[in-house]
Amino acid sequence: MSEISTRDAARDGASARDSARDNARDNAMSVAAISSERPESDDNVWTRRLVLFLRVMALLSVLKGLYHWAQVTGFVGGEDEAFENQSMAWQAATVYFAVIELVAAVGLWLATPWGAVVWLTTVVSMAVIELMFPGIYGGSLIVVGVEAFMLAAYLALAWMAARERPP
């Protein structure tokens, strides 16, 4: 009988220690959670810059997508510039960009890998349409230059962010 009571006492002592340790850990976590002094680490500077860039590109993608939808619905342009009066190639490209820009914006805002892929698809698509099919949107080299600059900025930021994380 004394052997059983000794085991019960040891078990009760162990559970009391576990409970005290859990309470101490919970108190430490709650104090750390409400502490106003957050340590600023410079370990992920490039990652933060990449996420900021992706968020800015998300906002631009929303604006571009909404502009294309405004063209489809007739909110912008006159009667001679109406969607139904445009060529089939222009209509197809406009609907494509109206949809894909908004999808890219969601992915970019969430900083997901698929968002970057969809955004890269929109950037390359716009550059190809401007260069290879100038009859659709006019073949503006300024648009191609801006798209190339954004692509280069993304690649540079992604490369620097990847260098921060060791393999």
Side-chain angles (χ1 to χ4, degrees):
M1 188 79 166
S2 68
E3 187 177 318
I4 293 174
S5 63
T6 304
R7 250 187 293 162
D8 289 342
R11 190 179 315 130
D12 289 344
S15 70
R17 280 191 310 266
D18 290 344
S19 176
R21 184 177 38 205
D22 289 344
N23 287 338
R25 187 183 67 226
D26 289 344
N27 288 338
M29 286 192 309
S30 66
V31 169
I34 62 172
S35 174
S36 64
E37 297 179 20
R38 288 189 1 201
E40 286 295 325
S41 105
D42 289 338
D43 294 344
N44 297 321
V45 171
W46 289 105
T47 302
R48 286 195 307 264
R49 290 176 183 168
L50 176 62
V51 170
L52 178 64
F53 177 81
L54 292 176
R55 297 265 167 99
V56 170
M57 290 300 104
L59 293 174
L60 288 175
S61 289
V62 165
L63 292 175
K64 287 167 52 179
L66 291 176
Y67 175 74
H68 287 292
W69 275 115
Q71 288 179 316
V72 170
T73 57
F75 283 115
V76 294
E79 194 167 311
D80 55 333
E81 298 171 353
F83 181 78
E84 55 272 351
N85 295 337
Q86 301 295 331
S87 68
M88 185 65 71
W90 186 92
Q91 290 176 352
T94 301
V95 169
Y96 168 77
F97 285 114
V99 172
I100 200 166
E101 288 283 358
L102 295 179
V103 172
V106 171
L108 287 172
W109 188 263
L110 297 174
T112 61
W114 63 264
V117 170
V118 173
W119 177 73
L120 289 171
T121 302
T122 65
V123 167
V124 171
S125 298
M126 183 59 81
V128 166
I129 286 177
E130 292 288 349
L131 288 175
M132 304 290 197
F133 306 101
I136 295 177
Y137 286 137
S140 172
L141 292 178
I142 293 173
V143 172
V144 174
V146 169
E147 300 285 346
F149 175 76
M150 290 188 308
L151 178 61
Y154 169 75
L155 292 175
L157 286 169
W159 182 64
M160 294 302 285
R163 287 184 56 198
E164 285 182 338
R165 295 183 295 274

